Amino acid sequence: MNEPTTRDLADAPAITGERADLLAALAKSRHFLRFTTRDLTDEQAGQRTTASELCLGGLIKHVTVNERNWVDFILNGPSAMGDATTMTEADWARWADQFRMLPGETLAGVLADYAEVARRTDELVAALPDLDATQPLPKAPWFEAGARWSAHRVLMHIVAETAQHAGHADIIRESLDGAKSMG
């Protein structure tokens, strides 16, 4: 992946206002989530330290999948997320796999995938012509029937979910080896 050069960044239009605020909040939450994995081995990133099924690598995988899916929703509507009411047992098993490190997965690979999704999201926020454009939510028991979300609302949801999972990650990390993100 080619990183932007100083010249590329200087030529890019400045992101201001609401978009800058959304990106700053998302960057802060992403930082704290990634920070919980500092100095860990792949084995530690896959270790469960609480009663839940969650591990640090799995949380990052989950946030990555969700951010990717929500960005696809902004671009393509509910078809990008599928119909949760028709999920099979195999679909639910694949969904559960995003919460754990699977054989052959590495922390470096999980973090690289997350960085690529973050880059794509940031580019979308900068380029979207209208943050108020809405899409109908996909069919799912947790969504109100007929509800629509704007790109802005989806982005706020991504920020909130990332922050929430950064908190989960902090608890898991502290349970693992006593390290904390803050304090």
Side-chain angles (χ1 to χ4, degrees):
M1 178 173 81
N2 292 333
E3 293 298 317
T5 65
T6 305
R7 170 172 283 201
D8 294 335
L9 295 174
D11 293 341
I15 299 169
T16 60
E18 177 182 30
R19 291 169 196 261
D21 291 344
L22 286 166
L23 289 175
L26 187 52
K28 184 175 184 178
S29 294
R30 286 177 182 147
H31 164 76
F32 282 118
L33 178 59
R34 286 189 312 265
F35 190 64
T36 62
T37 66
R38 70 196 177 282
D39 303 323
L40 292 182
T41 65
D42 294 337
E43 181 182 345
Q44 289 171 311
Q47 188 175 339
R48 290 177 45 207
T49 63
T50 65
S52 79
E53 293 290 322
L54 300 174
C55 67
L56 292 171
L59 270 174
I60 292 172
K61 283 175 55 178
H62 170 69
V63 171
T64 301
V65 167
N66 277 313
E67 186 169 324
R68 181 184 296 123
N69 287 345
W70 279 112
V71 166
D72 288 345
F73 169 82
I74 290 170
L75 295 170
N76 304 309
S79 65
M81 298 181 83
D83 181 346
T85 64
T86 63
M87 286 180 63
T88 66
E89 217 171 286
D91 294 330
W92 284 111
R94 278 190 299 280
W95 179 81
D97 282 346
Q98 70 182 281
F99 293 99
R100 58 183 151 263
M101 297 280 288
L102 301 176
E105 291 181 328
T106 64
L107 178 57
V110 167
L111 288 169
D113 192 29
Y114 188 39
E116 179 58 27
V117 167
R119 182 199 57 75
R120 179 179 176 234
T121 301
D122 293 352
E123 287 177 358
L124 175 72
V125 171
L128 267 178
D130 184 5
L131 292 180
D132 293 324
T134 66
Q135 298 277 12
L137 289 173
K139 284 186 180 179
W142 47 87
F143 292 134
E144 179 184 340
R148 298 179 68 88
W149 278 14
S150 67
H152 180 261
R153 182 160 180 189
V154 169
L155 293 165
M156 288 189 331
H157 176 75
I158 293 170
V159 170
E161 182 155 316
T162 305
Q164 178 181 12
H165 288 313
H168 293 145
D170 202 32
I171 292 167
I172 292 168
R173 178 62 191 258
E174 188 172 3
S175 298
L176 179 68
D177 64 3
K180 297 185 268 185
S181 295
M182 295 172 62

